[in-house]
Amino acid sequence: MPNSALTGTHHHGRHHHGHTDAHDDHDHDHGVTIGTDDPDHPLWERDQIVLTSVGIDIGSATSQLLFSRLTLRRLGRELSSAFAVVDKRIVHESAVALTPYAEGLRIDEERLTALVDQAFQDAGIRADEVDTGAVILTGEATRRSNARAIADLFAARTGRFICATAGHDMEATLAAHGSGAVARSERDGARVLNIDIGGGTTKLSVAEAGTVRSTGALHLGARLIVVDASGRIVRLEPAGRRLALSLGLDWSSGDQVHAAELAELAALMADTVVATVNGTPAPLDGLDWLRLTEPLTEHGPYDAVVFSGGVAEYVYGRESREFGDLGPLFGRALAERSGRLPGPVEDGGGTIRATVLGASQYTVRVSGNTIHISDPDLLPLHNLRVVRPEVELPETVDPSSVAEAIGTHLARLDADPADALVLGFRWSGLPSFPRLDAFVEGIRRGLSARIAAGGPLCLLFEGDIARTVGGILLDQGLTVPVISVDGITVGEFDFVDIGAVLPKSGTVPVSLKSMVFSL
């Protein structure tokens, strides 16, 4: 990747910002300076951290950056106490630009780098003033041949960015948070359906009481077909061609198409979305291939239906410009069918900017007396993505149920056995040996593919059971390295750094980085 704003050197410590009017001039402590190898840094003792963060969203159709100021406050007096985001403020929004593609199946690295550099320049923020950030690739952008390499480069060259290449279900979950659907469901105890439509895919999610209960995705998006001012096709994705064929339209790149034909195609797309969220048959036979995931497991009626993504701008009538794609026709067709949706349409406010603000970051110390690290030479580990299976722990724990919950959750998140993950669990009930032994057996079964890949197996627990779990795994014959840490509360969109054991105190520094949403 060419040199860019994200490859600059970061100068740790306190410094003064001289930003534009959107950035108040003030000194602040950068959370990134609490290094996993710097236990004596004075910020260990601080109760408040202010971070400058950036969220970079690279999607099928558009890419954008959001710069924010995040304030974190320690929740307790101990150095192991977590921090919470108590204030978040957007300080700059970049222009929403079309994601640049090169010939073939590649994202244009040079043009993407230029887009990022321009956003930093417009924000009046230097690379060395950014503490944390998140890079998210979604939709068709994830299927480009160099997509993951670009995301990893952004993350690796800064050392301060978490990176996620979102599969369909993760993208749907991200959209539910970014659009405000999850916040709305938590605030009002409501059931909210979020429909997020981008350039290549439509993501569906059901949020209830602050939790995403079900997700799904369809291969329907605004930029499956793009025409120039004369109506000639300049971009035709395979899914767009196949969908057109279902209407008897045998299109190829370079063909001339008529406005009425595009409107007919957009109407079919809207009818398919409406049928899917209602759980009714598709408007035409032979459209099962449009479903990219299993159907939603939750069904209406809903207290609210919220649209997000680029097409939402047309659903809500906030955008009138045309970019040669199906966005305007698709959005208006959905608006015309709003009465057939399984709930009243509400404006969540997220729409095209239903993305992350960036990432919060803080570090805690965990006592070395309560954890299990079978091979200390493996540490430090960086940017482990947290996954949190919902495991039921009745009085008699069933290993098969634990294994099934873990396997189902990993499948929903499109997790690969080779991915750098840490599994987070909430323990409840008595820590008796029979219960723990059954629980650990379930973990071992549920993570069998990861174990076969050679590990290491990284586990986090809210309860004080990490050392015991590590010992039981060894007793059950596990041969891959195990890193088991407790006293840590994590969420679904967290990333974790686990530092090396500090020789003086015997503690282990754990840095938690969390995606932060604007709504």
Side-chain angles (χ1 to χ4, degrees):
M1 177 179 291
N3 289 331
S4 74
L6 289 179
T7 62
T9 302
H10 185 80
H11 302 289
H12 297 316
R14 296 174 63 89
H15 62 265
H16 188 72
H17 283 270
H19 297 167
T20 58
D21 292 342
H23 315 82
D24 300 331
D25 287 348
H26 64 284
D27 292 329
H28 70 261
D29 296 313
H30 285 237
V32 73
T33 61
I34 314 178
T36 55
D37 56 354
D38 189 12
D40 297 321
H41 195 285
L43 284 184
W44 281 103
E45 307 295 338
R46 299 293 176 86
D47 293 325
Q48 183 165 296
I49 305 169
V50 180
L51 304 174
T52 297
S53 190
V54 59
I56 303 175
D57 188 325
I58 304 169
S60 304
T62 60
S63 296
Q64 57 188 298
L65 287 80
L66 287 175
F67 297 83
S68 62
R69 186 74 38 73
L70 308 175
T71 302
L72 285 72
R73 188 167 297 151
R74 194 187 295 274
L75 298 178
R77 294 186 176 183
E78 301 297 325
L79 292 180
S80 60
S81 298
F83 284 75
V85 176
V86 295
D87 184 59
K88 49 192 177 182
R89 181 164 59 94
I90 295 175
V91 295
H92 180 74
E93 298 179 344
S94 77
V96 178
L98 294 177
T99 299
Y101 294 107
E103 292 296 326
L105 299 176
R106 294 181 62 83
I107 296 171
D108 192 316
E109 295 181 33
E110 290 190 4
R111 290 164 59 201
L112 181 62
T113 299
L115 185 156
V116 171
D117 286 347
Q118 186 63 52
F120 269 79
Q121 182 177 332
D122 293 343
I125 295 176
R126 302 189 310 270
D128 63 359
E129 295 175 322
V130 173
D131 299 307
T132 65
V135 183
I136 311 295
L137 282 98
T138 59
E140 289 297 302
T142 66
R143 284 172 278 284
R144 302 298 164 168
S145 60
N146 60 337
R148 185 55 190 253
I150 285 178
D152 287 343
L153 272 173
F154 273 126
R157 292 206 177 191
T158 64
R160 304 180 303 281
F161 279 64
I162 57 178
C163 165
T165 304
H168 302 306
D169 289 302
M170 180 181 178
E171 186 179 356
T173 304
L174 282 168
H177 282 267
S179 69
V182 172
R184 162 77 161 87
S185 75
E186 183 173 27
R187 183 181 66 245
D188 302 324
R191 298 182 75 240
V192 181
L193 171 66
N194 187 64
I195 304 174
D196 183 89
I197 309 175
T201 56
T202 294
K203 284 72 62 181
L204 309 171
S205 55
V206 178
E208 182 175 3
T211 300
V212 177
R213 302 290 187 187
S214 180
T215 61
L218 299 169
H219 209 338
L220 295 172
R223 296 186 70 79
L224 297 182
I225 297 172
V226 180
V227 299
D228 62 17
S230 68
R232 193 173 303 279
I233 296 176
V234 294
R235 174 177 168 182
L236 182 62
E237 297 288 341
R241 172 172 168 74
R242 188 174 179 183
L243 193 61
L245 280 172
S246 68
L247 292 173
L249 302 170
D250 189 5
W251 288 343
S252 298
S253 185
D255 286 353
Q256 191 82 26
V257 298
H258 301 290
E261 295 172 329
L262 293 172
E264 183 183 9
L265 187 63
L268 173 62
M269 294 164 66
D271 286 335
T272 302
V273 171
V274 171
T276 300
V277 298
N278 281 301
T280 57
L284 292 177
D285 292 334
L287 294 182
D288 289 347
W289 62 272
L290 286 172
R291 194 170 61 229
L292 297 172
T293 64
E294 293 299 314
L296 291 173
T297 57
E298 299 279 333
H299 305 288
Y302 302 102
D303 298 303
V305 177
V306 175
F307 284 90
S308 60
V311 174
E313 298 289 322
Y314 297 100
V315 174
Y316 293 119
R318 284 196 289 266
E319 180 62 84
S320 59
R321 292 175 298 171
E322 298 190 1
F323 301 93
D325 56 33
L326 294 169
L329 293 170
F330 193 7
R332 287 194 286 268
L334 284 165
E336 292 168 359
R337 291 158 175 76
S338 61
R340 292 161 48 191
L341 293 170
V345 175
E346 292 185 3
D347 188 346
T351 58
I352 196 169
R353 293 190 182 274
T355 185
V356 292
L357 284 178
S360 66
Q361 178 174 335
Y362 63 89
T363 303
V364 297
R365 290 182 187 178
V366 179
S367 172
N369 295 324
T370 64
I371 65 177
H372 176 95
I373 301 174
S374 61
D375 185 359
D377 290 339
L378 288 173
L379 301 177
L381 294 172
H382 298 286
N383 281 334
L384 303 175
R385 176 184 165 192
V386 172
V387 294
R388 283 201 54 182
E390 291 295 328
V391 176
E392 294 186 5
L393 296 171
E395 185 175 348
T396 301
V397 177
D398 179 12
S400 298
S401 296
V402 173
E404 182 180 0
I406 293 171
T408 300
H409 193 77
L410 290 174
R412 184 173 72 82
L413 295 178
D414 309 297
D416 185 272
D419 288 346
L421 302 181
V422 58
L423 278 290
F425 297 96
R426 178 185 291 113
W427 175 261
S428 61
L430 292 174
S432 63
F433 179 78
R435 296 185 78 237
L436 281 169
D437 190 58
F439 173 58
V440 172
E441 183 181 345
I443 291 177
R444 187 169 50 80
R445 291 185 196 175
L447 298 177
S448 58
R450 298 190 64 79
I451 293 169
L457 209 59
C458 298
L459 308 171
L460 294 178
F461 299 98
E462 293 184 21
D464 189 14
I465 61 170
R467 179 179 286 271
T468 304
V469 167
I472 294 175
L473 281 168
L474 292 181
D475 291 342
Q476 291 185 0
L478 191 70
T479 57
V480 299
V482 176
I483 297 169
S484 182
V485 178
D486 56 26
I488 301 291
T489 300
V490 290
E492 191 67 70
F493 293 117
D494 288 353
F495 288 72
V496 171
D497 294 346
I498 303 176
V501 178
L502 302 172
K504 290 183 180 179
S505 62
T507 58
V508 174
V510 180
S511 292
L512 289 92
K513 294 171 272 190
S514 304
M515 293 186 193
V516 178
F517 300 90
S518 59
L519 297 171

